[in-house]
Amino acid sequence: MFAAVFGSVEQGIIYAIMALGVYISFRVLDFPDLTVDGSFVTGAGVAATMIISGYNPVVATLVAIIIGFLAGCVTGLLHTKGKINALLSGILMMIALYSINLRIMGLTSPNSIGRPNIPLLNAETMFSKFKSFWSPLGIDTAINNFFNNLGFQYLPSTWGTLFIMIIIVLIIKFIVDWFLKTEVGLAIRATGDNKKMIRSLSANTDTLIIVGLGFSNALVAFSGALIAQYAKFADIGMGIGMIIIGLASVIIGEAIFGTKTILRTTFAVIAGAIIYRIVLGLALRVDFLDTGDMKIITAVIVIGSLILPQFFEKKREKSRKAKRHAERLVEQKHLLMKEGNTVAKAQSGQ
């Protein structure tokens, strides 16, 4: 159980970067961007292709981020300059990226134009590089001995991946927080809230939408690049349903932790991604479920995340109404008692 939860937390932290990208497009920009399903694979494909070709994993990851940014910008251009519906723009870019991703991964195969899968089993990745630095420190042994004394079994072989991902995600979170508080970030937030208002202030909403979508898909591609290096492969189908996973993470986090400030909201999105992976991992441990049921489990989690907050909000509203009604009854009772005392005093004075 502990090993399953640990693995879910590791994956959840990596997917949290993708969830932050989805948050920027869906919540901040109010743009239903389905490019995510394609740009996630783009990040994974670019990173895997460059790593296989002998490039440094860090350089490969940075290039994947840039390509993801460009993919998001193209979606923004289709919508703003091409005057194509927002939803359709994302769908068109997602479809186009399927072929583009095959071409990108096909660069590693001299015998074919496209390639659907790239294994990274023997390749050096960011995680293997960090593991070579982390392992000699002896931290894994100390942590595993501590948990062994507590009675835990089946402990992970290394804690280094979790450690480095926590650092990376915290850096990304602070970058997102900082960006959304800059002049451009505030303008992007205003564009998502009221496009006509920000346009009346002479802001170029088209450019803001393009930049916002580019930044969103850059984060998604970054997450894809990390997942490819974590899972040791890149596959053309690994992006299917990413938008649902991202939305589930955002919805779960917002429902549990709230959205009063940007700092709190970005934390909620990260926590939502981790909670989602833990719930999914525990659900797959049920005997009558297997990996083929992952999509329906995801659908159930999202449905529950959408319905339960409404149910609890109705209960809270009902409780507030009952409390206000009780307060009014008490006030009326005090008022009647006061009027009764006034009448009694008047009668006694007569």
Side-chain angles (χ1 to χ4, degrees):
M1 178 68 74
F2 181 83
V5 172
F6 181 85
S8 297
V9 172
E10 275 189 341
Q11 293 182 46
I13 292 175
I14 301 175
Y15 280 111
I17 300 174
M18 181 269 296
L20 286 171
V22 172
Y23 164 73
I24 290 172
S25 60
F26 270 80
R27 285 287 192 257
V28 177
L29 268 177
D30 193 24
F31 191 103
D33 184 22
L34 297 185
T35 311
V36 170
D37 282 14
S39 59
F40 185 86
V41 183
T42 301
V46 169
T49 299
M50 293 188 67
I51 289 172
I52 289 294
S53 300
Y55 288 90
N56 186 288
V58 176
V59 174
T61 304
L62 292 175
V63 173
I65 295 172
I66 294 171
I67 300 299
F69 178 83
L70 294 175
C73 289
V74 172
T75 301
L77 286 169
L78 290 175
H79 173 62
T80 57
K81 305 304 180 183
K83 306 301 179 185
I84 300 175
N85 175 272
L87 186 62
L88 185 56
S89 298
I91 293 173
L92 290 172
M93 194 59 200
M94 176 185 67
I95 294 171
L97 283 174
Y98 185 88
S99 297
I100 293 171
N101 294 335
L102 282 173
R103 289 272 186 169
I104 291 172
M105 292 193 286
L107 295 175
T108 61
S109 177
N111 300 321
S112 62
I113 296 175
R115 185 176 179 181
N117 187 286
I118 299 178
L120 296 172
L121 295 175
N122 299 319
E124 187 177 51
T125 66
M126 285 178 58
F127 298 115
S128 63
K129 273 182 168 292
F130 183 77
K131 187 177 180 180
S132 62
F133 160 78
W134 175 270
S135 297
L137 299 178
I139 299 176
D140 290 330
T141 304
I143 296 176
N144 287 339
N145 287 338
F146 172 76
F147 280 102
N148 278 325
N149 293 332
L150 295 178
F152 288 96
Q153 297 179 344
Y154 306 108
L155 296 172
S157 59
T158 179
W159 294 76
T161 301
L162 179 64
F163 178 78
I164 188 62
M165 279 314 307
I166 289 174
I167 293 175
I168 291 174
V169 168
L170 287 176
I171 291 172
I172 295 298
K173 171 186 159 45
F174 291 134
I175 290 174
V176 172
D177 293 341
W178 168 80
F179 175 74
L180 292 178
K181 290 181 180 180
T182 62
E183 186 175 344
V184 175
L186 290 170
I188 289 174
R189 290 163 61 185
T191 301
D193 288 336
N194 193 327
K195 191 182 295 185
K196 290 183 179 179
M197 182 274 292
I198 192 66
R199 192 177 289 153
S200 68
L201 298 175
S202 301
N204 190 331
T205 54
D206 288 355
T207 301
L208 293 171
I209 290 172
I210 293 169
V211 171
L213 290 177
F215 185 46
S216 168
N217 283 280
L219 293 177
V220 173
F222 184 26
S223 178
L226 292 176
I227 285 292
Q229 295 175 69
Y230 175 83
K232 290 286 188 177
F233 75 94
D235 187 85
I236 194 65
M238 67 193 302
I240 297 174
M242 279 301 118
I243 188 63
I244 300 299
I245 294 173
L247 282 174
S249 303
V250 172
I251 293 166
I252 291 170
E254 290 180 344
I256 296 175
F257 299 100
T259 59
K260 289 185 178 180
T261 64
I262 290 294
L263 291 173
R264 185 170 178 176
T265 304
T266 52
F267 168 77
V269 172
I270 293 170
I274 297 171
I275 292 170
Y276 167 81
R277 296 307 304 187
I278 291 174
V279 172
L280 186 63
L282 293 177
L284 290 174
R285 290 178 63 86
V286 178
D287 292 336
F288 63 87
L289 295 174
D290 60 26
T291 54
D293 298 317
M294 191 167 66
K295 299 302 179 185
I296 193 169
I297 295 172
T298 298
V300 170
I301 293 173
V302 174
I303 291 169
S305 303
L306 290 169
I307 293 176
L308 288 178
Q310 298 179 36
F311 173 74
F312 289 126
E313 181 59 32
K314 286 182 179 179
K315 287 193 68 175
R316 284 194 292 266
E317 183 62 28
K318 189 175 180 180
S319 176
R320 285 194 292 266
K321 286 182 178 179
K323 186 177 179 180
R324 287 196 296 266
H325 181 66
E327 289 174 351
R328 283 197 295 268
L329 289 177
V330 171
E331 289 176 0
Q332 291 175 1
K333 183 178 179 181
H334 286 312
L335 183 61
L336 289 173
M337 290 177 62
K338 187 176 180 180
E339 291 178 351
N341 291 335
T342 303
V343 172
K345 287 180 180 178
Q347 289 176 351
S348 62
Q350 292 176 353

